[in-house]
Amino acid sequence: MTQALQQALATGVLLGFVYALVALGFAITFGVMRIANFAHGQFVVAGMYLMIVLHQQIGMPVIIAIPLCVLIVAAIGMGFEWLTVEPIAGYSHYMQMIVTLGGLIILQQISSLIFGTAPMGVDLTLPALNLRIGQAFISGPRVLAALVSLGAITAVLLVLRRTFFGRAVRSVADSRASAQLMGVNPLKVNLAAFGVGAGCAGLAGALIVPFIFVSPETGLGLTVKSFIVVMIAGVASMPRILLVSLSLGTIEALSGAYLSLSLTPAIVYGSLIVLLVLMMMRQHRTGNLVSLGERDIA
Amino acid sequence: MNVEIMKAVEPRAVGLHKGRWILKLALFAGAVLLPLWNDGAAVDVVTLALLYGFLAAAWNLAGGMAGQISLGHAAFFGLGAYGVGIFYVQLGLSPYLGVLAAVLIACAAGALLGALSFWLPFSGYTFLLLTLAFAELLRAAVRTFETFGGSTGLMFPFHPGVATLQFRNTTVYYFIALAMTILAIAIGKKMRSSTFGLHAEAVRDDEGAAAALGIQSRRVKLLALIVSAGLTGLGGALYAVMFSFITPDQVFSIDFSVAMLAGALIGGIGTAWGPVVGGIVMSLLTQGMARLPLGSGVGADIAVMLYGLALILIVQRLPRGIMPNLLGEHVRGRLEGAALLRWLSRRQSRGVRAPADTDVEVRDRAKVKGR
């Protein structure tokens, strides 16, 4: 393996873990409420901008800035749900999705008004975490991003599986009506799902901003990517989400290294569309049609 | 139920009150006479607004009438714009050929996407996602290839004349846009009263039931999408000739897809007049906002934000849109349950009686009860 290939594979796989975290956040909202939250990518962007403000501009240490980002973005997510989706709970999923699309546009323009449209980033080096795998050199922030993402995914899954709160969320994802009959308040669960989903997104954003530039338009692409990942993998299986996310990161890194950087989005969307179509054809053949929301999350 | 009976039972598509032809005549006269009153900036603003109205109506054919909500109509729009661009700028052919090619290319793209998503077992979400990803894919692809002008876009050399479809006097574009808008309304009205349109609405409301009645739902959806894509491509072609400059980030931008969706929703999804009205209103509003002296880019940002705000407010407060609520254009089919009940009870409490030729209350209430 050449050095370039090793480098691309290593960065791609590590980035894949972050994508998996974003997709998990998307899948939680999608699984619980059956609505595609278009603002999800913009929550990632919110995390990125917050990290810029907290770490770069105010000078907070990373270890405080990142959790703060998560909390603030989770709060933004819950406020978002309360303002947009909650008033029309019970409407068709399309209508709820359109409302989140409107929210995406508003959040996007707010970031554009505050930060302008020029790409921004954070200067962060973590020499202690710099990693050398074979001939590939991985910078500290990328390692940190992958490790923390993996930890966060595990934590979210544990909460969903082991705690009462997690069981309530899963029961609503499983069957809203039955959960309601058992005394679970679905509106509260909706709010919580948005909070957790946005928290995952905010964490991912805070983690990737040291090596990925952010601009207000970044959000939509991230929403589309996590949406496609969840459509391919289904909300029911974290291993599958992880697998698809890792492939996504790898495809992106390989295309960036060997083809052209500007062609990369086309390659990524193209391969995701092909994967989606293949997946649907397979499901058609096996008769196992709807993978979404058939069982509980994770 | 066979279509003849459905037609007999259904009220006429537009349930505006008596004298509505006077209103339409006045609207038409006003539209034709506008350039006499102001030959400059106002005409350009209204031209763009008409284009947005036209686009929303084109989107509505697939999204509103056949229920195939797309977020990727910018793909068809951009293909239309680039169709003309490639034919005229790169190949040096007549722009009329370019417009024809633009429409055909957009139709072909619509057919491809439709065939892919309606013949595979995709859910509605997948269609939406597929269209969105398709638009983003095209945008990235066009940016990359220098044949298409790359990310800097295509500049149309300016040779005014009928043969090149370029005019010093922008009033010509105004009348083209007006004609296209009238065409879109006519197609919409035809859709609502034709067998094909009824089939489309039946598929939208309950695909299984429609299929059980012998309606070939896939073909209906595909045809609706192709017509919608072709018209959107025509809109893109007009945009390209009118501005003589197109970039991939502009014409394939999701902003256009959202503008089409928003226009249709605000005006009244599934109606003939609604999307045109909604598209025009939103465009006038945002153009006005972008011109406010608020500092560089602030007005434009707020203008885009208006689209987001409008989407949220219209879905929350008036899910049926302006036209059905304010002007009484009747919407067939499944409505949002809660909103309908509210609307019905408001009407009942005001003691408003339905006009003799509609039975909207009775049927819709029965439908709500049955659900």
Side-chain angles (χ1 to χ4, degrees):
Chain A
M1 284 210 292
T2 63
Q3 197 256 338
L5 181 60
Q6 287 187 15
Q7 184 77 35
L9 280 178
T11 47
V13 168
L14 289 185
L15 192 59
F17 285 110
V18 186
Y19 280 146
L21 179 62
V22 181
L24 173 65
F26 188 89
I28 289 174
T29 343
F30 197 76
V32 169
M33 304 171 72
R34 301 287 189 280
I35 67 163
N37 172 22
F38 266 84
H40 192 68
Q42 214 60 36
F43 294 151
V44 180
V45 170
M48 293 167 97
Y49 276 124
L50 270 172
M51 187 71 178
I52 291 176
V53 171
L54 293 179
H55 179 71
Q56 190 89 343
Q57 297 180 353
I58 300 182
M60 251 180 221
V62 176
I63 197 131
I64 304 174
I66 290 181
L68 210 54
C69 282
V70 177
L71 288 180
I72 297 175
V73 177
I76 293 177
M78 287 162 88
F80 182 89
E81 198 272 349
W82 183 67
L83 280 175
T84 58
V85 185
E86 174 117 4
I88 53 165
Y91 277 34
S92 78
H93 299 147
Y94 272 127
M95 290 296 173
Q96 304 195 19
M97 182 215 73
I98 287 168
V99 163
T100 66
L101 180 66
L104 165 83
I105 296 166
I106 293 179
L107 288 178
Q108 198 173 331
Q109 297 311 315
I110 290 176
S111 8
S112 164
L113 280 175
I114 301 176
F115 299 100
T117 48
M120 295 169 88
V122 161
D123 302 318
L124 178 70
T125 48
L126 298 167
L129 281 173
N130 284 351
L131 200 63
R132 190 169 281 283
I133 313 171
Q135 286 167 293
F137 172 78
I138 317 287
S139 67
R142 282 181 185 273
V143 179
L144 179 78
L147 287 179
V148 175
S149 295
L150 207 54
I153 291 170
T154 321
V156 169
L157 290 187
L158 278 179
V159 167
L160 283 178
R161 287 210 177 141
R162 295 285 164 82
T163 63
F164 179 79
F165 164 76
R167 273 194 282 275
V169 169
R170 278 159 53 211
S171 71
V172 173
D174 212 20
S175 161
R176 182 160 287 256
S178 321
Q180 220 162 343
L181 288 173
M182 297 299 134
V184 177
N185 181 349
L187 290 182
K188 278 188 187 162
V189 170
N190 287 351
L191 205 59
F194 252 83
V196 176
C200 291
L203 176 60
L207 291 171
I208 56 174
V209 73
F211 48 90
I212 293 180
F213 284 118
V214 57
S215 73
E217 279 90 50
T218 317
L220 179 71
L222 286 166
T223 302
V224 176
K225 278 179 201 162
S226 42
F227 197 169
I228 303 184
V229 167
V230 171
M231 282 307 239
I232 295 172
V235 289
S237 151
M238 190 63 220
R240 277 162 70 184
I241 292 181
L242 200 58
L243 183 70
V244 179
S245 303
L246 291 183
S247 331
L248 169 64
T250 316
I251 292 172
E252 205 171 73
L254 285 178
S255 148
Y258 286 98
L259 298 164
S260 86
L261 220 51
S262 61
L263 196 60
T264 302
I267 300 276
V268 169
Y269 287 124
S271 45
L272 283 178
I273 291 176
V274 170
L275 255 176
L276 185 64
V277 170
L278 288 179
M279 195 67 206
M280 291 291 163
M281 281 162 101
R282 198 186 73 98
Q283 283 179 353
H284 189 44
R285 236 187 9 257
T286 54
N288 171 22
L289 233 174
V290 185
S291 64
L292 297 172
E294 280 292 283
R295 276 170 298 132
D296 54 0
I297 308 162
Chain B
M1 188 165 37
N2 97 27
V3 171
E4 290 312 312
I5 298 177
M6 274 171 78
K7 272 188 184 172
V9 171
E10 286 295 339
R12 268 169 296 157
V14 177
L16 222 61
H17 312 291
K18 284 201 174 137
R20 59 176 185 261
W21 62 273
I22 300 180
L23 188 69
K24 284 182 195 167
L25 199 67
L27 254 178
F28 183 68
V32 171
L33 295 178
L34 177 80
L36 287 181
W37 167 68
N38 180 327
D39 205 1
V43 170
D44 289 348
V45 168
V46 178
T47 307
L48 198 58
L50 283 173
L51 177 63
Y52 273 94
F54 169 81
L55 288 173
W59 181 92
N60 182 53
L61 292 181
M65 297 192 176
Q68 300 307 304
I69 300 210
S70 143
L71 267 182
H73 262 56
F76 309 130
F77 181 82
L79 282 175
Y82 267 90
V84 178
I86 304 277
F87 262 68
Y88 179 57
V89 182
Q90 306 290 63
L91 302 177
L93 295 167
S94 157
Y96 291 96
L97 264 178
V99 173
L100 189 65
V103 174
L104 290 180
I105 294 170
C107 283
L112 175 76
L113 272 182
L116 206 58
S117 40
F118 302 147
W119 263 264
L120 285 169
F122 281 158
S123 68
Y125 267 141
T126 327
F127 174 72
L128 186 144
L129 191 55
L130 209 62
T131 50
L132 178 55
F134 183 61
E136 290 291 303
L137 175 73
L138 283 179
R139 176 162 80 127
V142 171
R143 272 174 71 101
T144 310
F145 295 113
E146 288 303 319
T147 335
F148 305 127
S151 58
T152 48
L154 283 179
M155 186 74 153
F156 288 46
F158 189 64
H159 305 296
V162 178
T164 56
L165 253 176
Q166 290 178 330
F167 308 99
R168 265 185 222 293
N169 187 351
T170 48
T171 315
V172 181
Y173 296 123
Y174 171 77
F175 281 108
I176 296 178
L178 185 64
M180 277 164 54
T181 311
I182 293 172
L183 172 77
I185 297 174
I187 293 180
K189 291 189 75 160
K190 183 71 199 155
M191 269 286 269
R192 298 209 65 194
S193 58
S194 68
T195 310
F196 173 68
L198 286 170
H199 282 176
E201 291 184 350
V203 169
R204 171 192 69 194
D205 293 339
D206 192 333
E207 191 166 350
L213 292 175
I215 299 174
Q216 289 179 304
S217 63
R218 289 165 174 176
R219 268 172 58 181
V220 168
K221 288 193 282 187
L222 183 67
L223 197 57
L225 181 62
I226 291 177
V227 175
S228 167
L231 286 178
T232 311
L234 183 62
L238 174 68
Y239 180 89
V241 213
M242 204 158 76
F243 287 96
S244 296
F245 178 56
I246 46 175
T247 67
D249 287 335
Q250 201 182 14
V251 295
F252 288 108
S253 143
I254 188 174
D255 291 350
F256 273 112
S257 308
V258 170
M260 289 181 226
L261 167 80
L265 262 176
I266 288 157
I269 200 162
T271 62
W273 280 84
V276 174
V277 173
I280 291 176
V281 167
M282 275 316 284
S283 173
L284 290 178
L285 214 60
T286 50
Q287 285 188 73
M289 193 56 90
R291 271 155 220 257
L292 287 184
L294 292 171
S296 70
V298 174
D301 276 345
I302 295 179
V304 179
M305 208 187 282
L306 272 186
Y307 271 105
L309 206 60
L311 276 182
I312 295 179
L313 289 181
I314 205 81
V315 170
Q316 286 183 352
R317 305 279 165 203
L318 275 183
R320 290 149 44 90
I322 302 175
M323 282 300 278
N325 278 291
L326 302 186
L327 297 172
E329 182 172 348
H330 166 56
V331 197
R332 266 195 291 264
R334 181 175 295 178
L335 302 166
E336 298 295 332
L340 173 65
L341 278 175
R342 265 208 309 277
W343 176 72
L344 279 177
S345 58
R346 259 210 314 273
R347 273 189 87 111
Q348 299 295 334
S349 62
R350 260 197 262 127
V352 178
R353 300 260 307 273
D357 63 340
T358 55
D359 52 348
V360 49
E361 270 85 358
V362 181
R363 278 185 314 109
D364 281 349
R365 213 181 319 150
K367 196 158 196 174
V368 172
K369 270 188 189 161
R371 279 170 74 197

